[in-house]
Amino acid sequence: MVGMNLQAIYHQPDFPYVDPIDTRHLRFVVRTARGEALSKVLLHYGNKYLFGPAHRTIEMRLERSDERFDFYACLAPLDDRRIGYLFEIVPPEGETYFLSEKGLSIGFDMNEAYKWYFQFPYVHESDVVHVPSWVHDAVFYQIFPERFRLGNVYKDKSYINMKWGGKVDCASFAGGDLRGIIDSLDYIQGLGVNAIYLNPIFSAMTNHAYDTMDYLQIEPRFGTEEDLKELIDKLHSRGMHIVLDAVFNHVSYYSPAFQDVVQRGEQSENASLFMLHQGTGKPDIKKRNYETFSNTGYMPKIDVDCEKAATYLEKVALHYLELGIDGWRFDVADEVSHRFWKRLRLKIKERFPEAILIGEIWHRSEPFMRGDEFDGIMNYPLYYTILDYLALHRIDAKEAADRLNGIYMLYRESMLPMMYNLIDSHDTARFFTAAGKSLPALESAIALLCFNPGMTSIFYGDELPLEGGMDPDCRRCFPYEEAIKGTPHQEVVRRLFALRKGAVLSYGSFAAREDRGLLVIERQAKEGKTQLYINATASKIDVPFSPDFAVSFENNGILRNGFAIKLS
């Protein structure tokens, strides 16, 4: 066909291009060049042993487009779990192409399809990703425990070295604890939140507690295991869930296990737990003659492929799940071995199938997102896209839509509900600050979060909004007494979260596009269709409808950084 970009046409018989939604439905995806004016794209499929004239045919639909490609998809019902398949690509004129294992061909003999069809040899139960039932409508509230609220007024406060609400630095201790979170559950739930994610709470020396001393002891500054159990139980009684932060990549230099290695070197029974540089003597924090997190000598890296280390970390993960937590967020997840994550997932999912496992990965994560390691990742590519579009104005609506569509074509569709979507965290500047203190930009960013597939999360104080630059400034103290008074911004957040927890945004299909300078997100389910329109341009843009909910909207138009939502 003249002008058709044949090099762009692509499929692989593997995730995410074929995805078992359940044992009786397979999702298929085929890629073509963006903007090809195709008449239709067809999927031919059937029992691989009987494939021939008796196969089934489904017309695929153009589902999403990124900067370079169009992605056609369909959901195929199965009569048999052993599947052979191929694609037919029909242009408006010229030759029709068939895509199979022999590549692109003009014409295809279905009677000899068994030689060249793609196959999904057998759809096993274990191929199907289980999405925990509570995840679909999950709205998270991330809490940095040291700065949220001091609740235990009777504890030893001698470690506190700053006034609550004062300027924070890397060595500041303000006194926040688990009791403060327990005492604030009415407020947290009142925002429309139904899950919380806590930064580390285990024994540590720093305020951030990413330098674990003892995984099986709650840091006394935060409380006790009994306090954690009370928090878990009270959350569950409200229909809420809790995810804890696990740092299985490294420990504190001052942890008893590593200190034994510092003293005894390779003669220590703990030496195999860490990655020492051979022939360089005992670990020395100044020489840094051992593997570490980043370039941080006080965080020595664990060798998780050491059986002793792996067994211990499995024990830790299961212990807190037995206590009642609903999942884990794993720190520096992409620097921990695939082998370890696979075995840990099996251990956890055998006993706790409703637990969510989230990896902290800031980049593309396909190797970790096949269904045998993490359920989801912290979706920093989404964060960067929202930041560039609404806060920094580095990209326009078309590029934003292209990026969003591209992100969600990287992974299995069945796993998208478990992505952990965020606009800021303990490791970034507050979105409100990054956006030049533009409240409409923050509210549009939260709206965009709610409209993307995955779990929605805000960082404590985003609902006020709380200001803050890069770490440690983003970890300011939460002004609880001010927060409970309420603000118009909090009402916007509540309305967005209520919408987010509805069926359409919990289960609906997703597509992003540009329309006259506006970014448009469309979610559709059997319950209806919901559309979000965002304007990040400098000019007002009119829309041909009366919005059901809007911010920065005047005289039929969306102002700069505003949004409008249409329900149908």
Side-chain angles (χ1 to χ4, degrees):
M1 172 184 169
V2 177
M4 188 172 181
N5 185 346
L6 301 182
Q7 287 74 25
I9 298 172
Y10 179 76
H11 173 83
Q12 60 178 352
D14 195 7
F15 311 136
Y17 282 81
V18 57
D19 182 13
I21 303 302
D22 53 47
T23 58
R24 291 299 174 186
H25 292 86
L26 276 176
R27 169 182 159 85
F28 293 93
V29 175
V30 65
R31 190 190 77 188
T32 67
R34 179 162 182 164
E36 297 279 20
L38 301 175
S39 292
K40 57 187 173 182
V41 176
L42 301 175
L43 168 73
H44 301 285
Y45 75 105
N47 179 324
K48 67 177 186 175
Y49 294 106
L50 303 175
F51 198 101
H55 69 269
R56 300 176 67 174
T57 300
I58 292 179
E59 183 167 351
M60 306 178 76
R61 67 184 182 88
L62 176 57
E63 185 175 72
R64 298 179 193 130
S65 301
D66 67 11
E67 181 183 9
R68 294 181 296 158
F69 303 113
D70 287 339
F71 297 90
Y72 288 82
C74 69
L75 186 63
L78 307 181
D79 296 323
D80 194 285
R81 297 191 190 191
R82 303 161 298 177
I83 301 300
Y85 64 95
L86 59 118
F87 303 95
E88 182 179 354
I89 300 168
V90 184
E93 57 184 27
E95 302 286 358
T96 291
Y97 284 87
F98 291 83
L99 179 64
S100 65
E101 283 190 353
K102 68 177 178 179
L104 285 170
S105 60
I106 298 172
F108 192 90
D109 186 349
M110 292 296 180
N111 290 309
E112 293 193 351
Y114 66 91
K115 296 179 180 179
W116 299 112
Y117 54 45
F118 296 111
Q119 65 166 343
F120 200 97
Y122 196 92
V123 183
H124 291 274
E125 292 278 359
S126 57
D127 294 327
V128 178
V129 172
H130 171 69
V131 180
S133 58
W134 60 273
V135 160
H136 290 282
D137 67 350
V139 176
F140 273 86
Y141 192 72
Q142 181 192 346
I143 296 175
F144 190 78
E146 218 285 319
R147 303 285 160 70
F148 185 68
R149 189 181 178 192
L150 193 161
N152 182 4
V153 297
Y154 303 106
K155 69 180 180 181
D156 177 8
K157 303 186 189 70
S158 60
Y159 71 92
I160 297 175
N161 60 8
M162 64 168 288
K163 181 180 179 181
W164 193 267
K167 183 176 176 58
V168 299
D169 60 38
C170 293
S172 298
F173 290 92
D177 52 31
L178 293 174
R179 178 60 51 190
I181 299 170
I182 292 169
D183 292 345
S184 305
L185 290 182
D186 284 344
Y187 168 78
I188 294 171
Q189 187 176 32
L191 294 172
V193 166
N194 54 19
I196 64 172
Y197 150 48
L198 300 185
N199 290 109
I201 58 172
F202 309 123
S203 175
M205 297 184 68
T206 60
N207 54 37
H208 54 70
Y210 280 97
D211 56 330
T212 310
M213 297 278 287
D214 184 346
Y215 292 92
L216 293 174
Q217 180 185 353
I218 304 301
E219 168 54 47
R221 290 179 280 113
F222 298 145
T224 65
E225 188 167 287
E226 289 72 27
D227 292 328
L228 174 59
K229 178 61 174 171
E230 181 182 347
L231 174 60
I232 293 168
D233 291 344
K234 288 189 173 179
L235 285 167
H236 288 172
S237 71
R238 295 166 175 263
M240 300 173 71
H241 297 82
I242 179 171
V243 168
L244 295 186
D245 205 331
V247 189
F248 287 175
N249 178 69
H250 54 269
V251 296
S252 170
Y253 176 86
Y254 301 101
S255 66
F258 194 72
Q259 279 299 300
D260 187 66
V261 183
V262 170
Q263 297 301 317
R264 301 173 58 200
E266 293 182 4
Q267 301 305 310
S268 168
E269 63 181 12
N270 295 321
S272 63
L273 301 177
F274 304 100
M275 295 180 169
L276 309 181
H277 295 172
Q278 298 300 310
T280 62
K282 297 176 181 178
D284 186 319
I285 197 168
K286 293 182 180 179
K287 295 179 181 178
R288 212 168 69 233
N289 56 343
Y290 48 90
E291 296 296 292
T292 67
F293 164 65
S294 185
N295 298 310
T296 309
Y298 77 94
M299 292 181 175
K301 185 174 177 62
I302 302 169
D303 184 355
V304 296
D305 287 332
C306 163
E307 184 61 31
K308 182 178 178 181
T311 300
Y312 174 75
L313 295 175
E314 288 170 359
K315 175 184 174 182
V316 171
L318 293 171
H319 171 72
Y320 291 101
L321 288 162
E322 289 164 356
L323 200 66
I325 70 167
D326 301 291
W328 287 104
R329 177 267 194 190
F330 296 107
D331 191 56
V332 203
D334 52 348
E335 295 185 24
V336 175
S337 77
H338 291 287
R339 175 185 174 187
F340 174 75
W341 291 134
K342 291 177 194 297
R343 66 178 280 176
L344 182 63
R345 180 184 179 87
L346 286 173
K347 291 280 187 180
I348 289 175
K349 293 294 186 173
E350 282 174 1
R351 295 182 54 192
F352 302 98
E354 288 293 292
I356 188 80
L357 306 179
I358 304 163
E360 185 215 10
I361 304 177
W362 289 58
H363 298 274
R364 289 180 56 160
S365 306
E366 296 99 304
F368 297 90
M369 288 283 288
R370 294 181 55 81
D372 57 355
E373 296 186 39
F374 302 126
D375 294 317
I377 58 158
M378 297 190 77
N379 199 351
Y380 278 102
L382 171 64
Y383 154 73
Y384 288 132
T385 299
I386 298 176
L387 185 74
D388 284 349
Y389 178 57
L390 279 166
L392 306 179
H393 297 286
R394 290 174 174 168
I395 61 175
D396 60 15
K398 180 184 180 301
E399 185 171 347
D402 289 347
R403 282 201 204 174
L404 293 176
N405 287 329
I407 289 169
Y408 293 115
M409 295 311 300
L410 293 174
Y411 308 115
R412 298 175 62 175
E413 192 80 4
S414 57
M415 298 182 73
L416 298 186
M418 298 180 284
M419 298 290 279
Y420 186 94
N421 295 337
L422 67 160
I423 53 167
D424 49 19
S425 74
H426 61 290
D427 284 328
T428 73
R430 295 273 179 172
F431 191 90
F432 181 61
T433 299
K437 301 182 184 180
S438 167
L439 195 57
L442 174 61
E443 291 172 346
S444 288
I446 295 173
L448 193 47
L449 268 189
C450 290
F451 270 74
N452 272 265
M455 303 177 292
T456 298
S457 175
I458 61 170
F459 193 29
Y460 75 98
D462 283 346
E463 75 279 8
L464 297 181
L466 196 61
E467 296 180 37
M470 291 298 293
D471 166 24
D473 192 43
C474 57
R475 305 170 182 180
R476 297 186 188 185
C477 297
F478 182 71
Y480 178 77
E481 297 302 328
E482 174 187 334
I484 59 177
K485 295 176 183 177
T487 66
H489 173 59
Q490 285 176 328
E491 288 305 311
V492 171
V493 171
R494 288 189 183 95
R495 288 189 65 181
L496 287 171
F497 286 172
L499 190 63
R500 165 63 186 85
K501 291 184 289 186
V504 176
L505 298 190
S506 294
Y507 297 95
S509 62
F510 168 87
R513 58 184 170 86
E514 181 270 342
D515 179 9
R516 298 176 299 111
L518 298 172
L519 174 63
V520 183
I521 308 295
E522 183 171 297
R523 303 292 302 272
Q524 189 162 0
K526 62 182 181 181
E527 291 82 3
K529 181 167 68 174
T530 303
Q531 294 172 300
L532 170 68
Y533 293 75
I534 297 178
N535 179 15
T537 73
S539 304
K540 185 183 108 172
I541 300 179
D542 290 341
V543 293
F545 60 86
S546 297
D548 295 279
F549 180 30
V551 161
S552 292
F553 188 89
E554 289 182 3
N555 300 322
N556 301 316
I558 308 173
L559 306 180
R560 179 177 175 84
N561 291 335
F563 72 81
I565 293 174
K566 179 183 179 183
L567 308 177
S568 58

